Amino acid sequence: MDILQIFVNGIVLGALYACIAVGFSLVWGVLNVINMLHGSFIILGGYLTFFAWFYLGLNPILVLPAVALLLYILGFALQYLFINKVVTAPVLTTLTLTFGLDMILYNLMTVYFTATPRRVTLDLGSIDLAGIVMPVDRLLGMGLALLLTGVLYLVMRGSTIGRAIVAVRMDRQAAALMGIRVNRIYAITFGIGALMAGAAGAVFAMVFPVTTNLTGVFLGKAFVICVIGGLGSVPGALVGGLALGVIESFAGFYLGPQHAITVGFLLMLILLVVRPTGLVGVKGYE
Amino acid sequence: MPRRALALTGLAAWIGLLAATPWVADNYTVRVAITIAMFSAMALSWNLIGGFTGYPSFSTAAFFGIGCYVGALAQRNGVPLVLAWTLATFGVALFAAALGTIILRLKGHYFAIGSIAVVEVVRLIVSSWGSVTGGGDGLNVPLLQGSPDWVAAKVLYVMLAIMLAAFAATVLVDRGRLGFGLRCINQNEDAADMVGVDTTRFKIAAYALSALFCGTVGAVYASWVGYIDPTDSFSILLTVKVPVMALLGGAGTVFGPVVGAGVFVLLEEFFWANFLEWNRAILGGIIVFLIFFLPGGILRLDYRRLLRRALELREAKQKSPEAAE
């Protein structure tokens, strides 16, 4: 296979990865909470999209905003009811709590949805551009993923809510003194994290089969991308996602697909030790 | 020290009860007793780093799994049983010491992720290295000699011995310089460093100790079940269960992990028998309950206050005393 083709495959995959990780990165960066629910949120988004498409015959792209909104509500509620109560506790507490919540959500999904791999098939064919073959649904997925990530970036930069989130991230106490309701911002941030995960899941289900067994895989990828790209910033997730996509694509081709994930994790471990702030990360988060 | 004597008597009675199961109870109960001893040893081990030092370590499954594989591979290559177990013990401790020098430089979330990533990387390496480890097909481990009842009793006594060794190590650490240093690190690592605690060495020692017994437990487990595979040996559930047990009993205390492991395994057996499909959700529910209602663990509950409140409630005739808890 052509090196250029492998690279392009990596970029397409990387855009999806960026979309997967950006919500996780946001929650981690702002709340200082590792959200172990993230993988399940992605799968939930994917499944809901599939069901809406398969049983109700709806257009998956039009379903996407509805799924994202549902996930936002779920995320907001979880943060408001549970995580806000321990948000300043040590890592062990918050991480264990989100893991416990994830086990409940995961269990609910496996019982009610079963673990059958499901995929929205769009049948859009593929295009051939100067020898580089690319299925159209993947390109569409990449476009949607980049669009979503871009919209989040603009929201964080331009909107009042976005500015408030950034303010809370920078200094929680000062933000509170300026009249920002920190707990509400936390819940909104967590909701946005879930929203991005749900949307990413919806996009993913249009390109690859999703199953509940993938929750851990997606969570692992989000970890790796955050460490590669750095925490709490949209560009960081984008750089990390694209980097991981390209690395996995090459590692998969040259070493075999089963090693692609190992390489990502090894790279993360090395980066953790050598440069914990990531490639474009900001200092100050632990 | 009447409280400590009381607690020690309780522990001795508990161990005696577990040790008596092969003579008085059926195979199922013996299996539960083995599981309790096994998880007690691991929870005690985890407590050394996670409880005393406050480092959120999630690499238990890596230590356990490596112990499984080292023990199994050594035995398959003709190493006698006990030597294979010893090899697993020290192999894992060495691995942890080496790993510790690298990842203990990380703090907080980064350490947590680093320690989770270690489990994943080791699991992936074991799965891909098929020529040695059997890959995803797993490995058969030479069976222990003797009748099933005899094997179960043997495994139980070995696990109880490991549990006791882990407990003894915990007591020694708790009373010694190491424990003092680890608690200083938990309070404020920078300050501990400044007043002359060699934080790096202390942390590595705690980390290696926390791996030591997990390695033995893994090797004995492999001999007990006779078959291991990567998914089972490096399970993320195991990684989370062990800290949860220690937290349930009371992290950083000497007796907490034993109490937590006992309560947890019994709860799990109960739920496993009755709600098989909901096992995971129930475990999640226990975690959520633990974080919100028992943040210090069972041993740190203020029982006198609870009792007083229970009595008050009874006087008010609103609720029964059990419901007050």
Side-chain angles (χ1 to χ4, degrees):
Chain A
M1 212 187 330
D2 196 17
I3 287 188
L4 205 59
Q5 172 81 56
I6 303 172
F7 184 75
V8 171
N9 287 348
I11 292 288
V12 172
L13 194 63
L16 287 172
Y17 283 174
C19 191
I20 280 179
V22 73
F24 183 77
S25 173
L26 185 72
V27 168
W28 188 355
V30 176
L31 277 65
N32 207 15
V33 165
I34 295 183
N35 175 23
M36 300 294 280
L37 284 149
H38 200 75
S40 295
F41 283 160
I42 294 169
I43 298 297
L44 185 60
Y47 269 24
L48 290 177
T49 311
F50 172 85
F51 289 133
W53 169 76
F54 191 79
Y55 292 109
L56 307 174
L58 299 172
N59 183 332
I61 298 172
L62 298 179
V63 169
L64 195 149
V67 168
L69 182 68
L70 270 176
L71 264 291
Y72 174 82
I73 294 167
L74 175 68
F76 188 95
L78 282 175
Q79 175 72 29
Y80 204 80
L81 295 174
F82 295 102
I83 307 169
N84 260 344
K85 311 260 192 289
V86 293
V87 80
T88 53
V91 186
L92 194 60
T93 309
T94 50
L95 203 145
T96 319
L97 175 64
T98 53
F99 193 83
L101 292 171
D102 180 58
M103 288 174 130
I104 298 172
L105 179 60
Y106 177 89
N107 205 157
L108 285 169
M109 288 201 299
T110 43
V111 171
Y112 290 113
F113 299 161
T114 72
T116 323
R118 292 182 168 100
R119 188 196 158 180
V120 176
T121 36
L122 294 171
D123 282 331
L124 298 173
S126 58
I127 54 164
D128 186 333
L129 213 119
I132 299 168
V133 185
M134 191 50 62
V136 176
D137 54 5
R138 287 199 187 190
L139 288 175
L140 177 76
M142 176 174 95
L144 280 172
L146 290 177
L147 179 74
L148 285 163
T149 316
V151 168
L152 181 67
Y153 181 71
L154 291 179
V155 167
M156 293 297 288
R157 293 234 112 179
S159 73
T160 321
I161 291 286
R163 298 320 292 170
I165 290 173
V166 174
V168 170
R169 188 184 87 186
M170 284 174 172
D171 191 332
R172 173 190 146 91
Q173 261 127 15
L177 289 173
M178 294 298 121
I180 294 174
R181 281 185 282 173
V182 173
N183 273 346
R184 200 161 147 263
I185 291 298
Y186 278 168
I188 291 173
T189 310
F190 199 80
I192 293 176
L195 178 148
M196 289 304 291
V203 174
F204 222 91
M206 295 177 214
V207 184
F208 297 107
V210 290
T211 144
T212 47
N213 296 334
L214 283 177
T215 54
V217 175
F218 282 138
L219 187 64
K221 297 230 188 284
F223 273 139
V224 176
I225 293 161
C226 280
V227 172
I228 295 178
L231 275 184
S233 75
V234 177
L238 194 61
V239 170
L242 291 174
L244 183 68
V246 172
I247 292 162
E248 275 195 4
S249 191
F250 276 98
F253 182 72
Y254 286 109
L255 305 171
Q258 75 274 26
H259 294 292
I261 304 172
T262 322
V263 170
F265 267 111
L266 271 177
L267 188 78
M268 174 177 97
L269 267 183
I270 294 167
L271 262 175
L272 261 180
V273 174
V274 181
R275 193 180 154 77
T277 46
L279 294 176
V280 289
V282 208
K283 265 203 152 103
Y285 298 117
E286 279 197 343
Chain B
M1 287 270 191
R3 275 186 77 173
R4 194 154 187 110
L6 196 72
L8 277 173
T9 320
L11 182 73
W14 177 233
I15 289 177
L17 185 70
L18 292 177
T21 48
W23 313 104
V24 294
D26 55 1
N27 281 332
Y28 168 76
T29 318
V30 178
R31 201 182 62 78
V32 174
I34 295 175
T35 317
I36 290 177
M38 179 172 136
F39 276 112
S40 300
M42 287 201 280
L44 280 162
S45 302
W46 179 87
N47 190 38
L48 292 174
I49 185 85
F52 284 5
T53 321
Y55 267 62
S57 166
F58 290 96
S59 36
T60 310
F63 302 145
F64 176 82
I66 294 175
C68 284
Y69 271 89
V70 172
L73 287 171
Q75 276 193 68
R76 282 167 68 95
N77 289 307
V79 178
L81 185 72
V82 176
L83 192 61
W85 290 350
T86 320
L87 212 62
T89 310
F90 291 103
V92 168
L94 270 180
F95 170 78
L99 182 70
T101 55
I102 304 168
I103 72 165
L104 283 166
R105 286 162 55 193
L106 304 167
K107 281 179 193 158
H109 290 90
Y110 286 112
F111 177 77
I113 305 182
S115 64
I116 295 175
V118 168
V119 179
E120 285 303 301
V121 168
V122 178
R123 184 170 66 87
L124 290 164
I125 289 173
V126 169
S127 320
S128 335
W129 199 6
S131 55
V132 176
T133 60
D137 296 336
L139 278 183
N140 284 316
V141 188
L143 288 172
L144 291 169
Q145 298 301 315
S147 70
D149 289 347
W150 166 235
V151 167
K154 196 166 154 183
V155 170
L156 174 64
Y157 291 133
V158 174
M159 287 291 190
L160 281 173
I162 304 169
M163 172 181 164
L164 269 177
F167 182 75
T170 307
V171 171
L172 285 178
V173 170
D174 182 48
R175 294 193 173 171
R177 251 174 68 86
L178 182 57
F180 179 74
L182 296 179
R183 293 215 163 93
C184 288
I185 292 172
N186 191 11
Q187 296 285 324
N188 186 335
E189 187 167 345
D190 294 331
D193 197 28
M194 250 178 284
V195 297
V197 176
D198 189 346
T199 48
T200 316
R201 238 181 54 202
F202 275 59
K203 283 189 295 186
I204 293 172
Y207 199 58
L209 260 181
S210 85
L212 187 84
F213 300 110
C214 295
T216 332
V217 166
V220 177
Y221 173 84
S223 299
W224 177 36
V225 295
Y227 167 77
I228 50 172
D229 69 16
T231 359
D232 208 33
S233 310
F234 299 98
S235 142
I236 185 79
L237 278 183
L238 180 78
T239 292
V240 175
K241 262 185 201 174
V242 172
V244 166
M245 286 172 194
L247 292 174
L248 185 62
T253 63
V254 176
F255 292 96
V258 180
V259 175
V263 170
F264 189 97
V265 173
L266 290 176
L267 274 178
E268 200 187 24
E269 286 300 325
F270 171 75
F271 287 126
W272 186 263
N274 292 295
F275 311 94
L276 189 57
E277 218 179 18
W278 294 100
N279 190 47
R280 233 176 172 174
I282 289 162
L283 178 54
I286 294 176
I287 292 176
V288 174
F289 179 85
L290 172 66
I291 302 265
F292 285 110
F293 299 104
L294 282 175
I298 295 170
L299 287 189
R300 289 221 184 84
L301 271 179
D302 190 346
Y303 288 101
R304 256 176 259 171
R305 222 189 88 217
L306 277 179
L307 194 70
R308 208 166 51 229
R309 265 190 52 197
L311 288 174
E312 279 167 17
L313 282 173
R314 190 152 76 174
E315 273 164 29
K317 295 207 168 161
Q318 282 173 332
K319 277 182 188 166
S320 64
E322 294 89 61
E325 210 243 346

